[in-house]
């Protein structure tokens, strides 16, 4: 990732904090203590996303079911047995993190060990796993043996959450016949319901973090035989190389993406809570501008002015809703949002526009006739104007209600919004990068 994109990510996050932390974002409306309390944790999460980017600490988490050797993998990467391992399922009860200084490379890395995804008290563990995965820049999903349905579903969920993954096949010493081809074929069979496999062969690594001890029979000079246990060294070099290759190539991009995703979640939560708390004021705004549009369109005799005036009122309404919710939006962005709404509503709103236009031509014709030929046509003119105004007002109401849905995305869109920066980062990564798989 270029330095300019990294700077854009940082500027986007700092801009979001400055906006959401500012009291000016609610200058049109009285302070709302309930709203301030509701978004407090989300503001903290938003600030944490910026701090994460500034610290430049890569977080790598080991995920998987129990007894797959997650702790052993981390110990092997560290080169010493810091985390407790053992034959009993579920030795790791809570997430544990430790700093790792790789033999080469200048990146700072924090390795996180996690409990098995299938342990008892699954709901709490699932929530814990979700929280850890959101904080992780890269995930090592550890398996040993054939992939189970539970593992596949967990992998699918992580992929859908846009998490960069490496599939780590551990305990290869117990499965000497296993190779990349067989693992990839199994993944393809499991992935029939998806458009593409969960992993490419390049994202699968075979290791043995804690090889099984070998029982040696030693014959002594006096003819007696004794037995000794030999403990082979971990076979972890391929995983170390894979991690360092990824981090040296796209480490900053991984940091930026994860920080932006965290910020996106926080911003959406802030927008959603704001919309919920200020729903009454929003409904009043939508109805007020719908009435304005209905009145202006009804009394105006010129068709083109009906359309221009109606568009102008819709744009003002969108900006008024944005100000109510405390969301940054320019007139240009309001115009883009209006176009998006029209496209998304498709035939519904198009029918409204065509109807208003046709009624407008009829109203203009009746107005001319009323003035020059048939004063009695005023009744028909009034009826047509009422129908046109009602139709325009209804269309404006639909635009307002739909705008609420789009505005719930907060300021994640726009030129400096997190969604925009995320798309740019992914688009600029080379095809062989692990990030390109997130597109």
């Amino acid at each position: 990732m270029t330095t300019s994109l990294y700077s854009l990510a940082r500027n986007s996050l700092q801009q979001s904090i400055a906006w959401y932390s500012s009291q000016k974002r609610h200058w049109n409306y009285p302070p709302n203590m309930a709203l301030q309390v509701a978004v407090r944790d989300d503001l903290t999460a938003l600030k944490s996303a910026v701090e994460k980017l500034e610290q430049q600490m890569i977080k790598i988490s080991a995920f998987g079911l129990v007894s797959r050797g997650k702790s052993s993998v981390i110990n092997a990467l560290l080169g010493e047995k810091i985390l407790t391992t053992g034959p009993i399922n579920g030795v790791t009860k809570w997430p544990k993190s430790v700093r790792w200084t790789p033999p080469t490379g200048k990146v700072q890395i924090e390795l996180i060990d996690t409990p098995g995804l299938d342990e008892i008290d699954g709901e709490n563990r699932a929530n814990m796993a979700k929280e850890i995965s959101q904080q992780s820049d890269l995930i090592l999903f550890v398996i040993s043996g054939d992939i189970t349905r539970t593992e596949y579903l967990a992998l699918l969920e992580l992929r859908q959450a846009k998490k960069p993954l490496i599939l780590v096949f551990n305990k290869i010493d117990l499965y000497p016949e296993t190779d990349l081809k067989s693992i990839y074929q199994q993944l393809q069979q499991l992935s029939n319901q998806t458009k593409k496999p969960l992993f490419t062969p390049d994202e699968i690594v075979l290791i043995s973090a804690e090889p099984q001890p070998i029982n040696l029979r030693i014959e002594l000079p006096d003819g007696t035989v004794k037995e000794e246990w030999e403990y082979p060294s971990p076979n972890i070099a391929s995983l170390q190389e894979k991690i360092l290759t990824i981090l040296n190539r796209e480490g900053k991009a991984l940091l930026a993406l994860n920080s932006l995703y965290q910020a996106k979640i926080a911003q959406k939560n802030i927008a959603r809570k704001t919309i919920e708390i200020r729903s009454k004021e929003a409904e009043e705004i939508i109805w007020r501008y719908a009435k304005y549009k209905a009145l202006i369109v009804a009394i105006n005799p010129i068709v083109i002015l009906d359309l221009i005036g109606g568009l102008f009122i819709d744009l003002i309404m969108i900006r008024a809703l944005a100000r109510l919710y405390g969301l940054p939006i320019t007139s240009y962005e309001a115009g883009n949002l209006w176009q998006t709404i029209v496209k998304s509503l498709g035939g519904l709103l198009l029918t409204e526009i065509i109807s208003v236009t046709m009624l407008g031509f009829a109203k203009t014709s009746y107005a001319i006739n009323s003035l020059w030929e048939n004063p009695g046509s005023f009744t028909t003119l009034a009826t047509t104007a009422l129908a046109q105004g009602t139709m325009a007002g209804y269309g404006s109401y639909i635009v307002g209600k739909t705008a609420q849905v789009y505005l719930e995305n907060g300021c994640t869109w726009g030129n400096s919004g997190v969604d925009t920066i995320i798309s740019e980062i992914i688009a600029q990564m080379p095809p062989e990068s692990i990030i390109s798989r997130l597109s």
Side-chain angles (χ1 to χ4, degrees):
M1 182 180 70
T2 62
T3 304
S4 60
L5 276 180
Y6 185 82
S7 300
L8 281 175
R10 182 173 55 197
N11 293 339
S12 174
L13 295 176
Q14 291 174 341
Q15 175 181 304
S16 297
I17 287 183
W19 175 261
Y20 285 116
S21 300
S22 172
Q23 293 297 324
K24 291 182 179 180
R25 79 184 189 99
H26 297 303
W27 66 273
N28 261 350
Y29 301 91
N32 191 320
M33 184 58 67
L35 177 59
Q36 294 175 13
V37 172
V39 303
R40 185 177 299 160
D41 290 342
D42 300 305
L43 283 173
T44 301
L46 196 54
K47 293 175 182 176
S48 297
V50 178
E51 293 171 358
K52 173 180 174 52
L53 192 61
E54 297 290 351
Q55 291 171 357
Q56 299 193 26
M57 173 70 71
I58 299 285
K59 292 188 176 183
I60 302 177
S61 296
F63 271 73
L65 305 187
V66 296
S67 299
R68 298 312 192 255
K70 299 182 296 296
S71 302
S72 298
V73 169
I74 291 180
N75 284 337
L77 288 172
L78 294 170
E80 53 183 319
K81 193 170 183 177
I82 293 180
L83 301 176
T84 303
T85 61
I88 302 176
N89 288 352
V91 172
T92 302
K93 299 299 182 184
W94 302 101
K96 300 174 184 176
S97 62
V98 61
R99 294 287 180 91
W100 176 38
T101 303
T104 59
K106 300 179 181 179
V107 293
Q108 300 184 71
I109 300 174
E110 179 181 343
L111 298 174
I112 303 174
D113 190 19
T114 65
L117 297 176
D118 55 340
E119 288 190 80
I120 301 174
D121 196 12
E123 184 176 351
N124 289 337
R125 294 289 159 82
N127 292 334
M128 184 188 304
K130 182 179 180 181
E131 183 178 347
I132 295 170
S133 71
Q134 289 175 353
Q135 297 174 359
S136 303
D137 304 298
L138 179 64
I139 290 178
L140 309 178
F141 198 96
V142 183
I143 64 172
S144 58
D146 289 339
I147 299 171
T148 67
R149 185 66 181 171
T150 301
E151 287 171 323
Y152 173 73
L153 293 175
L155 284 169
L156 194 61
E157 186 176 339
L158 289 170
R159 272 293 184 217
Q160 291 172 344
K162 302 291 187 181
K163 302 307 299 186
L165 297 167
I166 297 177
L167 186 66
V168 181
F169 191 107
N170 189 24
K171 305 183 182 181
I172 195 63
D173 55 309
L174 301 181
Y175 305 92
E177 301 301 319
T178 301
D179 57 17
L180 281 176
K181 183 178 179 180
S182 63
I183 299 172
Y184 185 64
Q185 287 175 342
Q186 187 192 5
L187 283 169
Q188 283 183 308
Q189 292 173 357
L190 289 170
S191 302
N192 285 337
Q193 64 191 69
T194 60
K195 293 182 179 179
K196 57 183 179 180
L198 289 174
F199 293 91
T200 65
D202 192 50
E203 295 167 325
I204 305 171
V205 182
L206 279 60
I207 67 165
S208 183
E210 192 173 4
Q212 291 294 306
I214 302 173
N215 189 3
L216 300 178
R217 291 173 57 85
I218 302 174
E219 186 175 341
L220 300 177
D222 60 3
T224 60
V225 177
K226 72 172 185 176
E227 293 184 350
E228 287 186 358
W229 289 97
E230 180 180 292
Y231 293 87
S233 300
N235 178 7
I236 199 74
S238 58
L239 180 58
Q240 287 181 334
E241 182 180 352
K242 176 66 65 178
I243 291 173
L244 293 178
T245 298
I246 290 173
L247 297 189
N248 288 331
R249 181 180 59 204
E250 46 196 307
K252 277 194 171 183
L254 287 171
L255 268 175
L257 277 179
N258 195 34
S259 297
L260 289 168
Y261 277 126
Q262 289 183 37
K264 178 178 178 177
I265 293 171
Q267 290 181 42
K268 284 192 172 184
N269 285 338
I270 292 173
R272 175 179 53 79
K273 292 172 183 177
T274 305
I275 286 172
E276 288 174 356
I277 291 174
R278 295 200 157 157
S279 59
K280 182 179 179 181
E281 294 100 320
E283 192 71 14
E284 291 174 354
I285 287 175
I286 293 173
W287 273 115
R288 182 164 67 248
Y289 282 97
K291 292 174 183 175
Y292 289 163
K293 185 175 179 179
L295 179 61
I296 291 174
V297 169
I299 64 176
N300 176 59
I302 303 175
V303 177
I304 188 65
L305 293 182
D306 285 341
L307 298 175
I308 294 174
L311 170 61
F312 183 68
I313 290 174
D314 283 346
L315 295 180
I316 295 177
M317 176 178 61
I318 291 173
R319 291 203 67 183
L321 287 171
R323 286 197 300 271
L324 170 68
Y325 299 143
L327 305 176
I329 181 171
T330 64
S331 297
Y332 173 77
E333 289 167 342
N336 286 341
L337 180 55
W338 185 86
Q339 294 179 37
T340 303
I341 290 172
V342 171
K343 291 177 182 177
S344 68
L345 291 175
L348 175 63
L349 201 56
L350 183 61
T351 301
E352 304 293 341
I353 294 173
I354 292 174
S355 300
V356 168
T357 303
M358 296 302 294
L359 287 169
F361 280 118
K363 183 181 63 177
T364 302
S365 176
Y366 288 133
I368 294 173
N369 289 334
S370 297
L371 290 172
W372 302 105
E373 298 177 7
N374 184 12
S377 63
F378 268 118
T379 302
T380 307
L381 170 64
T383 303
T384 304
L386 179 62
Q388 187 194 26
T390 302
M391 195 76 71
Y394 176 71
S396 189
Y397 180 80
I398 294 297
V399 169
K401 297 301 290 185
T402 309
Q404 284 185 286
V405 178
Y406 283 95
L407 289 171
E408 191 168 341
N409 289 322
C411 61
T412 62
W413 38 268
N415 292 333
S416 59
V418 295
D419 275 335
T420 303
I421 308 300
I422 287 173
S423 297
E424 289 184 12
I425 290 174
I426 295 176
Q428 290 197 19
M429 298 307 296
E432 69 275 11
S433 69
I434 198 169
I435 288 178
S436 67
R437 293 274 289 147
L438 306 180
S439 60

